[in-house]
Amino acid sequence: MDQLKNHSTLPGSVRPLGFYVNGSMRDAGDRETLVREAPGYLVPVSEVTLCTTSDVDDAVAAARGAFESGAWSRCDAAVRATALLRVAAGIRERLDEIAYWETLETGKPITQARAEIGDAAGHYEYCAGAARMLHGETYNNQGDQMFGVVTRQPTGVVGLITPWNFPFIVLAERLPYILASGNSVVVKPSEMTSTTTLVLAEILAEAGIPDGVYNVVTGLGPVVGQAMSVHPDIDIISFTGSTATGAAVLQATTSNFKKASLELGGKNPQIVFADADLDAAADGVAFGLCFNAGQCCVSGSRLIVEDAIAERFTEMVKEKLARVKIGECLDPDTQLGAIVSKQHHEKILSYLELGTKEGAAVALGGGECEGLSGRYIAPTVLTDVQPNMRIAQEEIFGPVLTVTTFGDAEEALKIANDCQYGLAASIWTKDIDKALTLMRGVHAGRTWVNTTIAGGPGQPMGGFKQSGIGREGGMLGIEEYTEVKSAHIAIGQRTNWIA
Ligand code: NAD
């Protein structure tokens, strides 16, 4: 408790959260609630409403009503663009507050949260421009008597289910893209991290997004998320979360043949060649592992390093990791934050045990950090790892690096691709031929060369194999949420079928 006294910035009381339907915040009423403890401090900070399936029905009806009214779905793109720019400005104005709640509920370091909220605003700005650019195609090549037009129109009501690891930025990588073409949305944030999704409702309303276009239903996945996935009046589900839950969601969407966009798990390779800038690569590997305490879909958790430098490079990575600042999430110097929940903390520790049983050696870390007020796991390096071990195949979702070695580029690619996932990959080399060959060959929706976890709006993201279906971000991310319509328009007198 002594430590907590030093953190006068922790909230003085638990923040009660309602849910948001048709432009109004509703109280929990007699619904059950769940108290959320800050993972970095183990004190209660917020209380989330566990909505019911009938709340989902209300939210979907509001979204459908807003869509049919045309106030957003059929307005001039310039109106949407202006509103999205106002949303971005509203986010920037409230950046400190949003980052603070993001840090409290997720356990991520405050400086990282602040960067994410700023990046989130950038997505709304990008989509403001993209809204004006969205257009169809014409086919002026079908002879004198036919003209073809392809239009894109908003699909309708989108159900957006988001995870706990990046509540605000994952929302920002989807919501403005969904809104840009005129859809309405029902969002279900993770029950652990709902506050900032609700704060956004206020910002959207102030920016002039009409009532009913954005609705938030909080609560449990198997109740609220499941009700959304089977709902007959939701046209698309955009799900971001684990591969196991994604499979259940995909199955549920077949009830009315919804479109589904799934962004799922990853076990992402960091491929390091002997000719790389090894200091930069070691720093990148350390960052890619510790970012969000490894609770990141694109975390670079599999180091695949060339034999010739494996020992030296592993030492370099260990040296960097030993200097990572671990600590209080609200301290601006902290680089590695807390683990989101007790259950997840135990899961990571169980993987460390498994690693030892599978024959891996603990070269660094290997357990909890002592003397902190929350749940923290030390950056861990596991060596002597064979590519087929479970620790090298399954998503541990913590700051745990497995080290495997390769002899040549072909073997590196084989190890990288021999995995059920295909979300992201990083390649470190000064040889352009190797970089391009690996970039082309690796099974990953996102690749980085000589960097990792970088980039902003504009380029699409998504996964190969069991890392997902569809793409978010960029123009593709907007097009995902549109329906394409082909029109064939006859010119002049049609030739009669019946003479
Ligand atoms: P999760 O699958 O447990 O939960 C994600 C969301 O789904 C939550 O809102 C949850 O309440 C809801 N949910 C749970 N059961 C449901 C059900 N039966 N039907 C509908 N919804 C349900 O995932 P998580 O633990 O919150 O997040 C971590 C996972 O997310 C990791 O696997 C990570 O790789 C993945 N992730 C992927 C990306 C990406 O872009 N690919 C981004 C962030 C996180």
Side-chain angles (χ1 to χ4, degrees):
M1 286 304 282
D2 273 344
Q3 280 183 342
L4 288 184
K5 288 186 192 138
N6 302 329
H7 298 283
S8 52
T9 48
L10 283 173
S13 58
V14 174
R15 178 175 182 160
L17 302 174
F19 59 108
Y20 187 74
V21 175
N22 211 15
S24 305
M25 208 60 86
R26 298 187 182 177
D27 290 339
D30 56 6
R31 292 167 191 80
E32 285 181 59
T33 60
L34 202 70
V35 172
R36 175 69 181 152
E37 265 189 355
Y41 299 94
L42 304 185
V43 295
V45 289
S46 55
E47 186 173 5
V48 67
T49 301
L50 300 185
C51 288
T52 62
T53 54
S54 121
D55 297 328
V56 173
D57 289 341
D58 279 3
V60 175
R64 178 62 62 192
F67 186 77
E68 296 302 337
S69 80
W72 182 254
S73 55
R74 296 197 300 276
C75 73
D76 189 330
V79 174
R80 291 203 279 266
T82 307
L84 289 171
L85 285 176
R86 280 197 222 109
V87 174
I91 291 170
R92 291 192 196 283
E93 255 167 52
R94 294 179 68 174
L95 189 147
D96 287 342
E97 174 202 349
I98 300 169
Y100 173 74
W101 282 98
E102 199 80 333
T103 283
L104 287 180
E105 288 187 337
T106 62
K108 64 180 70 201
I110 188 71
T111 43
Q112 183 195 317
R114 289 177 58 84
E116 282 173 23
I117 309 309
D119 288 350
H123 283 277
Y124 290 84
E125 284 154 357
Y126 172 84
C127 288
R132 289 176 182 259
M133 295 297 294
L134 188 64
H135 58 80
E137 295 165 357
T138 55
Y139 287 82
N140 197 23
N141 61 352
Q142 298 174 6
D144 284 346
Q145 292 187 308
M146 190 64 79
F147 183 65
V149 176
V150 174
T151 59
R152 284 193 178 271
Q153 54 196 60
T155 304
V157 176
V158 179
L160 186 48
I161 302 175
T162 59
W164 48 259
N165 57 348
F166 295 99
F168 204 75
I169 187 76
V170 161
L171 186 59
E173 286 167 350
R174 289 147 185 79
L175 181 67
Y177 298 83
I178 291 168
L179 294 179
S181 64
N183 294 290
S184 294
V185 189
V186 176
V187 187
K188 189 212 106 50
S190 164
E191 61 279 13
M192 291 190 262
T193 55
S194 299
T195 299
T196 57
T197 303
L198 287 161
V199 169
L200 185 68
E202 296 166 9
I203 295 173
L204 291 166
E206 275 163 28
I209 310 273
D211 290 351
V213 170
Y214 178 78
N215 306 275
V216 183
V217 193
T218 54
L220 300 175
V223 179
V224 175
Q226 168 73 13
M228 287 166 63
S229 305
V230 295
H231 204 290
D233 212 20
I234 289 184
D235 303 295
I236 309 185
I237 284 284
S238 171
F239 171 84
T240 307
S242 62
T243 295
T245 311
V249 166
L250 186 60
Q251 206 143 38
T253 58
T254 57
S255 56
N256 68 330
F257 290 95
K258 290 178 183 64
K259 283 165 87 175
S261 174
L262 305 174
E263 302 283 323
L264 309 174
K267 185 78 177 177
N268 312 290
Q270 290 272 13
I271 305 166
V272 181
F273 285 92
D275 62 15
D277 174 339
L278 295 185
D279 183 64
D283 190 79
V285 169
F287 169 69
L289 183 73
C290 294
F291 183 61
N292 220 46
Q295 303 162 112
C296 174
C297 54
V298 292
S299 171
S301 54
R302 275 196 298 156
L303 172 60
I304 303 172
V305 56
E306 193 163 349
D307 283 329
I309 53 151
E311 210 168 303
R312 178 158 66 100
F313 186 72
T314 305
E315 284 308 311
M316 290 173 75
V317 172
K318 280 168 57 184
E319 192 275 327
K320 296 264 184 197
L321 289 173
R323 287 192 285 133
V324 170
K325 295 190 180 100
I326 307 170
E328 305 298 337
C329 303
L330 290 169
D331 180 343
D333 287 334
T334 293
Q335 291 176 301
L336 184 100
I339 301 300
V340 75
S341 65
K342 185 166 181 288
Q343 189 196 22
H344 188 53
H345 189 75
E346 280 163 9
K347 181 180 155 194
I348 298 170
L349 293 176
S350 77
Y351 268 109
L352 295 180
E353 242 182 80
L354 173 71
T356 316
K357 276 194 202 136
E358 285 186 305
V362 179
L364 185 78
E368 299 170 85
C369 299
E370 304 295 331
L372 292 164
S373 53
R375 276 182 299 266
Y376 292 80
I377 289 186
T380 295
V381 177
L382 301 176
T383 53
D384 298 339
V385 175
Q386 296 307 312
N388 61 352
M389 288 180 181
R390 281 182 56 199
I391 51 165
Q393 290 287 328
E394 298 174 16
E395 190 182 43
I396 298 175
F397 228 51
V400 181
L401 185 72
T402 60
V403 183
T404 311
T405 63
F406 68 84
D408 59 18
E410 201 180 323
E411 193 189 358
L413 195 57
K414 187 173 177 321
I415 296 170
N417 285 344
D418 184 14
C419 179
Q420 62 172 322
Y421 296 111
L423 194 60
S426 304
I427 302 150
W428 301 85
T429 175
K430 287 290 178 199
D431 180 333
I432 186 78
D433 296 340
K434 276 187 213 158
L436 287 176
T437 305
L438 269 279
M439 190 269 283
R440 281 181 172 169
V442 75
H443 300 164
R446 284 166 103 182
T447 56
W448 290 285
V449 175
N450 295 326
T451 187
T452 196
I453 315 186
Q459 286 186 233
M461 55 198 132
F464 282 37
K465 303 194 284 193
Q466 293 188 35
S467 289
I469 299 174
R471 291 293 179 268
E472 306 286 355
M475 285 309 285
L476 272 181
I478 293 180
E479 289 169 5
E480 284 270 332
Y481 297 98
T482 60
E483 281 291 0
V484 170
K485 189 177 279 175
S486 258
H488 306 276
I489 304 161
I491 302 170
Q493 184 59 50
R494 177 175 175 273
T495 309
N496 280 346
W497 181 52
I498 301 166

